[in-house]
Amino acid sequence: MSAVAEPPGGYFGRALVVDVSDGSSTTMPLPAQVLRSYLGGAGLGTWLMNELCPVQADPLEPDAPLAFVFSPLVGTPLTTSAKFAVVAKSPLTNLLTDALASSHFALAGKFTGHDALVLTGRAETPTVVLVDDTGVGLVDASEQWGMPAAEAEESIRERHGRRWRAASIGPAGERQVRYATISHDGRHAGRGGLGAVMGAKNVKALAVQGGKRVDLPDRSAVLAAAKDLRGRSFGPATAKYRELGTLSNLLAFNAISTLPTRNFQDATFAEAPKLSAEDLAESRSVARASCASCTIGCEHIYASKGGKKMRVEYENVFALGPMCQVSDPDQVLEASARCDDLGVDTISAGGTIAWAMECVERGLLDATWLRFGDGDALLRVLDEIGNRTGVGDLLAEGSRRATEVVEQGSAAFAPHVKGMEMPGYEPRTMQSMALGLAVNARGADHNRSGAYEADLAGGADRVRGTAEHVRAAIETEDRAAIMDSLILCKFLRGVFTDPFEEWADLLSTVTGWDVDGAELHETARRIVLAKRTFNLREGWTRDDDWLPERFLDTPVELGSGRTATLPAERLRAMIDDYYAERGLDAEGRPPLATSRREPTP
Amino acid sequence: MLDSVGPAVGVVLAGGRSSRMGTAKAMLEWHGSTLLRRVTGVVERAVDGRVIVVRAPDQRLPELASTVSVREDPEEGLGPMQGLAVGLAAAAEHAGTAFVCSTDLPFLHVDFVRAVLRGFERPAVEGGPDVVLPYVGGFRQPMAAGYRTELAPTVEKLLEAGRRRPAHLLEECHVTQLDDATLLADRRLAGVDPDLDSVVNINEPADYRAARDRPAPEVTVERYGVLATRTGERGRRTIRAATVGEALEQMRLTFDGHIVAAVNGDQIGNDPELPLVAGDSVAFLSADAGG
């Protein structure tokens, strides 16, 4: 197949599909209409999965595709745009998953001359896939097999040249831990077990380099837009990320009873100050770092007791600290580093371990050493998960599958939705977020919903979900769909006062299209529904849009003494409203034609 | 239908003539806000739900929180029973009980309102009381009391019969009286309002001046995240502030769209006029959450 003759600005108009069984590849044209309808990143990746993934495929079988998807803004000087999405059917949820990561891989990958690189098949032996602007190569990865991703990346660059940029898996991906990550330069496409999909293909890394550049219809206009956005990125909307990073959520969330603790048995953690960004910044902060093409610099590097330096985010610390009741910062930082080395998603790891700790506490699981509050046990079980030994082999399957083995009512407190473990937002005290977690296509996820924004902004009563919360959750989900497809970093979202119009202007400037905010709203809806369409064909039902029983039958108390409850009938009513507002039927199914309605470029 | 009905409704009667004060009490300045804004805000925090203000026909009101609804007396000059009838009838659409008070209670405390409403939970009579009536310092306080909303028709009938005093209603009801000792048995209330100043009302300019001269309530405040690290001012501080805005100012912060406040770890917002009461804690947070 040949490439599209004249792709829109910012695009090459084609994807490269590589069969890693033999290194053969095909070029898949991406018509302008498809690009305008799904943009790039998570949106285009969803379209690719609907096109390329065999129906009801096992995510770990050779035919299941793994897509690395770029976007029209990648390669422009627009701040935070050097990002890529990895999209596949998730071995954790058996539904669609997409995860974003950033930096030079996005640039080098796009400069191979493609808007997406898709891997299919299974290599016979451990392999590194090399893609540049001249073609595809498969090389032996036995030297890198077993290495942490960061070491593997360095090894590949040493062997093949510094211009290569690699996205790699760690040992957990090789062993198909169902929440293994793919990482590049220390940043993980973390959620949903994409690393296991890559490991199942016997691929240690995808390495890319290229010198192709996309055409832009008005390069000076793009430069002007980039200059403006860069200036705004230094303002108060990003101060939190620049000055302390996402870990500053921890103490604030503790103050408002939204910090999940002891597997969501509590919403506050008495020892939270020990793990706070405010404390760690004073005692352990050593540096700040940025992704390529980013002016925010949200990464705050801390040193552990042994001098090891690591990036620390709120979600790592919440999942490995309060969720497991571990308060020693050295142990939590070490656990976070261990997850990085193994290549596992910290949220799913922490959630699954916290669930196991509660099982032990209740006498349901024979691993008496695995206790809440025991940091040494946390480190041990992480190693067992990464190596699939001992109880770790069970926990490597994620909490949902583990409940099917343990049974005895343990599903009621397994902290997942659709099989994906829950992020660090207590749904009973954040009920816009509760809806977002329940209905999101990816499962319990904060980045594709973003409804916590509404809960934390004030206005509606955050512990009493209403139709207002439903509208807020839809709005944030729509915004996320566009940001994840353009792609722009969500930490930039506060600088946009009229986001859809402003994003439409950026997209128009880069592509030459005449896009407005209304069209982008429709695009957002299309992307959200396309994800749902994929899930529907994979066996999703309305019952999957739900929260674990714990949240529906056990109240939590706020500092004021007020009780936060989320009765099942309230959640059901919110979901009904969500379906109605989204134009879904009563069972949450998209109308057949809706997700395919595409604009004419 | 989504659940938005709280366990009780607040009713604030704003329609009095304020003849001794010489100016409308509802409009009186109160720490950068107004007296009515304060009382409605305190009641709203306590009842965990809806607040209804009953005003005289065409009475001008100060700006109130958007969640507060306003009803109007059909006729001016019939006294608090008229407002009570309107307020209870409106409240009955949402809840079985209501805390009803007048506008002129500048020291009304959230915990006092809660203590009164808890009187419905410990019924001294079968079926529960119709009215929970504070009896403070030897005085009945029908304008800071709890009422069953189903009393609305009874109040209407009394008005039609020309019986316009709250005492006439009390004669018709099962009343649970809460005296000083009973109220102060609530340790939380005893800690924050030991003199039961919640029922102190102001009727004349001198009352207002004296009340206004009192120090603002003692509250604790804490900044989080970059709001703390930028200034090096971490940890809790005790200050005096009657509103979130006063606390904000003392912490040298402004609601610029990137800061929110949470009172007692509960509702989050950026309303500078949100009233504070003794014992509150205020957390100032970055509004730019996520990650």
Side-chain angles (χ1 to χ4, degrees):
Chain A
M1 287 187 282
S2 62
V4 173
E6 286 186 29
Y11 290 103
F12 289 104
R14 62 191 171 210
L16 186 70
V17 183
V18 178
D19 184 343
V20 302
S21 309
D22 58 10
S24 62
S25 63
T26 52
T27 299
M28 177 182 184
L30 298 173
Q33 185 179 11
V34 168
L35 297 173
R36 186 155 175 173
S37 299
Y38 297 93
L39 304 181
L44 183 58
T46 301
W47 181 83
L48 285 166
M49 284 302 124
N50 272 309
E51 294 293 315
L52 298 177
C53 187
V55 174
Q56 306 278 330
D58 180 334
L60 301 179
E61 74 178 41
D63 285 350
L66 175 67
F68 295 77
V69 191
F70 312 111
S71 77
L73 306 191
V74 174
T76 69
L78 288 160
T79 185
T80 80
S81 63
K83 297 181 84 73
F84 62 101
V86 189
V87 190
K89 184 175 175 183
S90 163
L92 191 63
T93 67
N94 268 334
L95 302 171
L96 187 80
T97 193
D98 60 275
L100 306 185
S102 5
S103 221
H104 296 283
F105 181 91
L107 300 167
K110 182 165 174 180
F111 295 159
T112 64
H114 302 95
D115 299 311
L117 302 172
V118 184
L119 306 184
T120 65
R122 176 181 291 154
E124 280 193 21
T125 56
T127 295
V128 174
V129 180
L130 301 173
V131 178
D132 65 13
D133 47 14
T134 63
V136 177
L138 304 182
V139 294
D140 177 55
S142 52
E143 185 184 338
Q144 290 83 25
W145 204 250
M147 284 181 178
E151 279 181 37
E153 283 179 60
E154 188 55 28
S155 167
I156 290 163
R157 295 182 75 201
E158 276 181 14
R159 175 167 290 269
H160 299 285
R162 305 299 300 175
R163 290 186 61 205
W164 289 92
R165 302 287 183 170
S168 179
I169 59 173
E174 296 168 13
R175 297 188 178 94
Q176 297 170 37
V177 173
R178 286 185 185 270
Y179 42 90
T181 65
I182 296 174
S183 81
H184 164 65
D185 196 20
R187 299 157 182 97
H188 295 259
R191 305 234 65 196
L194 293 155
V197 178
M198 196 145 144
K201 296 187 180 308
N202 250 333
V203 172
K204 178 67 179 180
L206 169 62
V208 290
Q209 69 156 332
K212 298 204 170 183
R213 295 291 186 272
V214 290
D215 288 330
L216 297 173
D218 185 346
R219 198 165 289 275
S220 61
V222 175
L223 283 172
K227 185 179 177 188
D228 171 62
L229 196 57
R230 185 174 64 241
R232 286 193 277 164
S233 76
F234 296 124
T238 60
K240 168 187 156 179
Y241 303 109
R242 284 184 278 117
E243 295 178 28
L244 272 184
T246 58
L247 185 55
S248 62
N249 286 344
L250 190 97
L251 214 48
F253 284 15
N254 194 50
I256 55 174
S257 301
T258 62
L259 177 63
T261 300
R262 284 173 51 83
N263 192 31
F264 287 91
Q265 294 183 78
D266 301 307
T268 57
F269 185 42
E271 298 185 86
K274 289 186 192 173
L275 300 173
S276 69
E278 292 90 328
D279 262 22
L280 296 184
E282 274 185 8
S283 60
R284 294 160 190 272
S285 179
V286 291
R288 257 178 75 206
S290 299
C291 298
S293 306
C294 174
T295 49
I296 296 176
C298 70
E299 294 175 351
H300 292 258
I301 314 294
Y302 296 129
S304 69
K305 195 162 57 181
K308 189 168 183 177
K309 297 181 179 72
M310 67 204 75
R311 296 179 175 89
V312 174
E313 303 288 346
Y314 166 67
E315 293 293 345
N316 306 13
V317 175
F318 126 78
L320 302 167
M323 270 290 272
C324 299
Q325 205 189 338
V326 175
S327 61
D328 180 336
D330 284 309
Q331 288 180 316
V332 174
L333 293 180
E334 180 57 33
S336 182
R338 199 74 59 94
C339 289
D340 270 2
D341 286 348
L342 292 167
V344 293
D345 172 25
T346 53
I347 302 174
S348 279
T352 303
I353 292 167
W355 167 82
M357 287 173 164
E358 186 168 350
C359 285
V360 169
E361 195 170 74
R362 291 168 177 249
L364 308 181
L365 187 62
D366 184 19
T368 51
W369 53 273
L370 189 56
R371 295 281 178 184
F372 278 120
D374 187 335
D376 291 331
L378 172 65
L379 294 170
R380 174 180 162 185
V381 78
L382 282 171
D383 285 338
E384 291 194 0
I385 290 169
N387 293 311
R388 277 191 173 272
T389 56
V391 74
D393 193 34
L394 173 70
L395 303 184
E397 294 292 294
S399 60
R400 180 173 66 180
R401 283 180 174 79
T403 65
E404 292 163 6
V405 175
V406 173
E407 298 181 325
Q408 303 175 85
S410 62
F413 55 89
H416 73 85
V417 175
K418 302 181 177 77
M420 179 178 278
E421 284 70 25
M422 302 182 69
Y425 301 82
E426 166 55 59
R428 285 163 290 195
T429 60
M430 305 179 86
Q431 297 197 359
S432 301
M433 191 61 187
L435 174 67
L437 291 169
V439 299
N440 199 267
R442 192 163 78 157
D445 167 69
H446 59 296
N447 280 324
R448 301 295 171 270
S449 163
Y452 57 80
E453 286 179 55
D455 293 313
L456 296 174
D461 184 343
R462 65 188 168 102
V463 305
R464 191 170 292 154
T466 66
E468 190 177 352
H469 297 70
V470 176
R471 286 191 294 274
I474 288 173
E475 179 65 18
T476 57
E477 189 176 49
D478 280 352
R479 288 204 295 262
I482 297 301
M483 294 199 89
D484 293 340
S485 302
L486 280 176
I487 306 169
L488 285 172
C489 178
K490 295 214 182 64
F491 296 167
L492 203 57
R493 63 190 183 275
V495 311
F496 299 104
T497 51
D498 189 0
F500 283 89
E501 290 297 340
E502 291 179 61
W503 297 333
D505 285 347
L506 290 177
L507 184 62
S508 298
T509 303
V510 170
T511 61
W513 292 328
D514 182 17
V515 181
D516 61 18
E519 180 182 326
L520 271 195
H521 252 117
E522 184 59 28
T523 303
R525 181 167 173 270
R526 180 183 307 110
I527 290 169
V528 169
L529 296 190
K531 292 179 181 183
R532 195 166 270 269
T533 299
F534 180 89
N535 285 351
L536 186 62
R537 70 173 220 184
E538 298 303 314
W540 169 92
T541 70
R542 180 184 168 132
D543 291 344
D544 294 310
D545 283 355
W546 201 240
L547 292 178
E549 278 177 45
R550 160 160 289 162
F551 301 109
L552 308 176
D553 61 16
T554 311
V556 291
E557 195 170 289
L558 298 173
S560 63
R562 193 160 66 119
T563 297
T565 58
L566 179 56
E569 53 271 26
R570 184 185 301 159
L571 179 63
R572 192 170 294 113
M574 291 173 75
I575 291 171
D576 285 345
D577 264 19
Y578 174 88
Y579 289 170
E581 292 273 336
R582 279 279 183 219
L584 307 171
D585 70 13
E587 292 303 307
R589 294 173 299 209
L592 195 59
T594 306
S595 62
R596 295 265 170 191
R597 197 169 65 225
E598 296 161 359
T600 305
Chain B
M1 184 70 182
L2 293 171
D3 167 27
S4 59
V5 178
V9 169
V11 174
V12 181
L13 307 182
R17 286 177 167 157
S18 307
S19 49
R20 281 188 284 166
M21 186 64 72
T23 185
K25 291 181 190 176
M27 303 296 290
L28 287 174
E29 187 277 342
W30 197 262
H31 292 267
S33 181
T34 62
L35 195 51
L36 182 59
R37 174 71 185 82
R38 175 172 184 81
V39 173
T40 53
V42 168
V43 173
E44 184 170 27
R45 283 181 50 191
V47 300
D48 185 17
R50 198 175 296 265
V51 172
I52 298 161
V53 168
V54 184
R55 67 175 181 182
D58 300 325
Q59 180 187 357
R60 192 166 74 90
L61 297 179
E63 192 165 331
L64 300 172
S66 59
T67 47
V68 173
S69 57
V70 177
R71 299 293 176 100
E72 205 161 272
D73 282 339
E75 191 178 343
E76 193 172 8
L78 295 184
M81 285 282 276
Q82 175 69 79
L84 188 61
V86 172
L88 290 181
E93 297 169 16
H94 308 289
T97 55
F99 179 84
V100 179
C101 68
S102 53
T103 308
D104 55 2
L105 302 175
F107 306 114
L108 183 66
H109 199 287
V110 173
D111 287 324
F112 178 87
V113 180
R114 289 186 179 140
V116 171
L117 290 171
R118 274 197 291 275
F120 288 108
E121 297 168 6
R122 297 190 296 272
V125 292
E126 194 177 341
D130 298 314
V131 179
V132 177
L133 183 67
Y135 186 70
V136 178
F139 294 95
R140 289 175 160 188
Q141 303 292 339
M143 287 299 100
Y147 294 84
R148 285 205 178 280
T149 57
E150 65 192 19
L151 288 173
T154 307
V155 183
E156 285 283 3
K157 282 180 189 164
L158 289 167
L159 284 167
E160 285 167 14
R163 304 180 72 198
R164 294 177 182 169
R165 292 172 48 212
H168 295 136
L169 174 63
L170 299 178
E171 288 168 11
E172 305 283 325
C173 298
H174 293 300
V175 179
T176 292
Q177 286 199 162
L178 303 178
D179 62 16
D180 298 50
T182 307
L183 285 163
L184 293 175
D186 181 329
R187 285 187 181 178
R188 194 169 166 127
L189 178 60
V192 292
D193 188 12
D195 298 324
L196 297 175
D197 285 345
S198 282
V199 298
V200 169
N201 63 346
I202 54 172
N203 290 309
E204 299 178 355
D207 299 338
Y208 170 62
R209 284 194 298 273
R212 193 63 185 80
D213 286 345
R214 285 199 196 187
E218 194 170 270
V219 300
T220 58
V221 289
E222 184 164 5
R223 308 163 186 235
Y224 288 86
V226 295
L227 306 180
T229 52
R230 267 183 200 165
T231 58
E233 293 178 14
R234 295 182 54 198
R236 288 189 174 187
R237 279 180 56 192
T238 300
I239 62 169
R240 287 189 173 277
T243 62
V244 166
E246 280 192 345
L248 189 76
E249 195 177 338
Q250 290 178 57
M251 301 302 280
R252 299 187 305 284
L253 298 171
T254 53
F255 282 136
D256 59 358
H258 301 287
I259 295 175
V260 290
V263 177
N264 300 329
D266 199 309
Q267 295 299 352
I268 295 167
N270 55 8
D271 176 4
E273 291 192 58
L274 187 74
L276 298 178
V277 295
D280 277 342
S281 66
V282 187
F284 291 108
L285 316 167
S286 165
D288 303 299

